[in-house]
Amino acid sequence: MSQTLYLDNAATTRVIDPVFEAMRPYFCDEFGNASAKYYGLGARARAAVFKARCQLAALLNATLPEDEDHPSEIIFTSGATESSNWILKNAHTLRGGARGTPKPAPGAKPHLITSSIEHHSVLETAQALAKAGTHDVTFLPVDAHGLVDPDALRHALRDDTVLVSIMLANNEVGTIQPIRELAAIAHERGALFHTDAVQAVGKVRVDVRDLDVDGLSVSSHKFHGPKGVGGLYLRRGVRIDPYQHGGGQERGRRAGTTNVPGIVGMGAAAELAGARLEAEYARQFDMIEHLWQALEAAVPKMYRNGHPSQRLPNTLNIRVQGAEGEAILLRLDMFGIQVASGSACSTDSLEPSHVLMAMGIAQEDAHGSLRISISHETTAAELERVAEILPEQIRIIREMSVTWNG
Ligand code: PLP
């Protein structure tokens, strides 16, 4: 049995030991309900949630809340899928605070703008709203690198646009959008701006004030926190109708018993990610660059997907002519190397990736795509192993192919 080498960190990451240790007491000993603030167990759970709220706020440079009874820009959710569903489905209820509230003309459907390369949690929500006929939705195209053209956004904005939602970094190819510029364009026309920052948080500096976004979705399990917990950042003053009703948790904005261990884990993970951000960015960016150079030199007719420099440090997406992504995955798995073809969230489907198709990549080439995503636990020696094994496996697959004549 060969040693396992996990290189699918864009799908999920390992809960690292200090994060697990931070969570541990809140399962069995400190199991109180964070809403029960008038006795010790509840009050301590509440204090732990407050600490985590501050840790996540600090990572995003959001306003630090005064205490758990005061408003916060961070609302804890079950993950980014919930956060993005919430803001998109309730976009027509958004009030912008100091920025003003977008107002569709009486009787007009609220208009949303998003991009064609969003994660399914945004894309399918927007598609569902359009299909239901409750909202008008514009899906912006991207260029060959996966970038949204700011002028295309400018032209798509209408007086009745209530929300623009464009992801910060793409989960398949790692391209980073010029969010600050896009948000400013939306604001000029009176629309609010949301970004799915799931892949970016903990890997690149995400500063909500600098980006000047009104809403942002984040997910804990992408930066070594636990699964099933995330957050929605809402700029101070922004109001939105609740998505789920029930108890008064999250100051009445998100009902449901607070997931104390999960939130504590996310907070600890956020603090650790923030502390190593700069060093890890440089290290991972270089490691991926070296891997790409080694692979490019060894494998003919292999190309890189996504933007070469405006990209996440940890993601390499390649397309290999004459070899199916799934075949490469299976052969690498024999060596214990675990990578993804396309997006992990859509691996049950044999449809080519919507991201690669939107970037203008031919269907057969999209099928030959592979995503390698590393974390702060990945070493240079491990990637050298990939650089040794992968070219040979591609050669074997091509040799067996009846169509490959390269
Ligand atoms: N957005 C992006 C870009 C993602 O990569 C993912 C997870 O794959 C999500 C949203 C969904 O996050 P969660 O698993 O917290 O619902």
Side-chain angles (χ1 to χ4, degrees):
M1 177 63 187
S2 44
Q3 207 190 340
T4 298
L5 174 45
Y6 179 73
L7 297 175
D8 196 13
N9 289 278
T12 197
T13 57
R14 192 176 82 84
V15 173
I16 49 178
D17 299 348
V19 169
F20 184 65
E21 288 312 320
M23 295 172 71
R24 187 196 289 274
Y26 296 94
F27 287 105
C28 301
D29 301 327
E30 298 293 344
F31 61 88
N33 189 321
S35 299
K37 58 179 174 182
Y38 296 114
Y39 56 80
L41 268 182
R44 288 196 295 278
R46 192 176 181 79
V49 170
F50 175 65
K51 180 176 173 197
R53 212 182 289 282
C54 294
Q55 288 167 315
L56 185 60
L59 182 65
L60 302 176
N61 198 26
T63 311
L64 288 180
E66 285 169 40
D67 60 41
E68 207 41 20
D69 292 319
H70 278 85
S72 162
E73 295 183 319
I74 306 287
I75 308 171
F76 291 123
T77 64
S78 66
T81 298
E82 180 188 324
S83 306
S84 297
N85 266 260
W86 181 4
I87 195 161
L88 264 77
K89 288 181 180 165
N90 281 4
H92 56 287
T93 73
L94 279 166
R95 278 88 71 201
R99 184 157 279 142
T101 297
K103 282 189 198 66
K109 285 182 199 173
H111 179 228
L112 301 176
I113 300 177
T114 186
S115 84
S116 46
I117 59 157
E118 297 295 312
H119 182 264
H120 291 284
S121 54
V122 168
L123 196 65
E124 291 192 19
T125 304
Q127 284 165 347
L129 291 171
K131 195 166 169 220
T134 53
H135 296 62
D136 268 349
V137 186
T138 301
F139 296 90
L140 296 177
V142 292
D143 68 12
H145 286 143
L147 281 176
V148 170
D149 176 2
D151 277 335
L153 172 60
R154 217 171 255 118
H155 289 124
L157 279 158
R158 311 191 318 212
D159 290 341
D160 57 356
T161 308
V162 290
L163 184 71
V164 178
S165 178
I166 295 175
M167 72 197 317
L168 209 166
N170 183 265
N171 48 303
E172 294 188 35
V173 296
T175 299
I176 295 182
Q177 302 294 337
I179 291 298
R180 194 177 200 287
E181 184 183 356
L182 296 172
I185 292 169
H187 291 150
E188 273 166 28
R189 284 294 297 271
L192 297 180
F193 195 95
H194 163 258
T195 187
D196 169 353
V198 165
Q199 292 291 342
V201 170
K203 290 163 204 146
V204 296
R205 179 136 320 272
V206 175
D207 179 330
V208 287
R209 288 187 225 189
D210 182 49
L211 295 173
D212 202 19
V213 292
D214 305 294
L216 177 144
S217 300
V218 53
S219 175
S220 143
H221 71 104
K222 306 290 183 177
F223 53 93
H224 299 287
K227 295 168 185 55
V229 56
L232 177 64
Y233 158 85
L234 280 184
R235 186 175 52 75
R236 184 166 270 181
V238 174
R239 302 269 181 277
I240 189 168
D241 282 3
Y243 184 47
Q244 46 191 55
H245 298 86
Q249 290 87 357
E250 298 296 298
R251 298 181 55 80
R253 294 179 295 179
R254 197 273 186 182
T257 302
T258 307
N259 173 4
V260 179
I263 289 169
V264 166
M266 175 160 66
E271 188 172 323
L272 290 165
R276 59 169 180 256
L277 198 70
E278 257 82 53
E280 273 303 306
Y281 177 91
R283 192 185 76 91
Q284 293 184 27
F285 200 99
D286 286 353
M287 271 169 53
I288 286 287
E289 210 52 42
H290 274 107
L291 174 61
W292 167 241
Q293 280 163 16
L295 293 175
E296 194 185 23
V299 184
K301 302 228 167 127
M302 189 184 66
Y303 310 93
R304 187 172 191 170
N305 296 322
H307 200 284
S309 58
Q310 260 168 262
R311 64 162 178 89
L312 289 173
N314 74 324
T315 305
L316 176 64
N317 192 308
I318 54 182
R319 64 182 187 281
V320 188
Q321 280 185 0
E324 289 282 319
E326 278 70 27
I328 305 175
L329 243 64
L330 291 174
R331 290 205 71 90
L332 286 181
D333 192 44
M334 292 178 352
F335 294 86
I337 300 174
Q338 301 174 14
V339 301
S341 70
S343 164
C345 310
S346 57
T347 42
D348 281 348
S349 130
L350 285 178
E351 289 293 304
S353 142
H354 69 284
V355 175
L356 299 179
M357 300 295 281
M359 288 163 57
I361 290 168
Q363 188 157 333
E364 57 276 20
D365 288 344
H367 277 302
S369 289
L370 202 72
R371 180 186 68 189
I372 294 171
S373 49
I374 62 175
S375 81
H376 87 281
E377 298 196 298
T378 313
T379 65
E382 287 173 332
L383 292 194
E384 270 164 33
R385 208 172 138 231
V386 176
E388 269 166 33
I389 292 171
L390 182 54
E392 176 63 4
Q393 299 314 306
I394 293 172
R395 198 190 56 73
I396 294 170
I397 294 168
R398 281 175 171 173
E399 227 170 60
M400 292 188 299
S401 161
V402 284
T403 52
W404 172 250
N405 57 9

